[in-house]
Amino acid sequence: MIGPEHVPIYDSHRRTQIKPLDTPDLPTVRKTLISRELERTEAALDKIREETP
C-alpha cells in the first residue's frame, strides 16, 4: 500500500529519473526505459494525491 508518507520517496525518485533524460547522448533504449519508469512513478504520485484529502 502506498500512502502519503511515501510521497517524499517517490518524488525523489522522480527527480532522479528526470535528470538523465536531459543527457543528449543517452541511448534511445535507456531513454525509453527511464521514461517508462518515470510514468510509473508519476502514476503512483497521482494516485496518492487523489486519495489524500
Side-chain angles (χ1 to χ4, degrees):
M1 175 143 187
I2 300 170
E5 64 274 10
H6 299 107
V7 170
I9 296 166
Y10 276 87
D11 189 50
S12 174
H13 186 58
R14 183 182 63 82
R15 283 183 273 124
T16 301
Q17 293 167 322
I18 290 173
K19 287 180 186 178
L21 289 177
D22 293 332
T23 306
D25 296 335
L26 190 67
T28 304
V29 174
R30 184 76 177 134
K31 193 175 273 193
T32 302
L33 181 65
I34 293 170
S35 296
R36 197 174 307 150
E37 183 64 24
L38 182 58
E39 288 174 7
R40 290 182 190 132
T41 302
E42 289 176 344
L45 285 169
D46 289 343
K47 188 153 183 85
I48 292 168
R49 289 181 188 120
E50 287 174 6
E51 295 176 359
T52 304

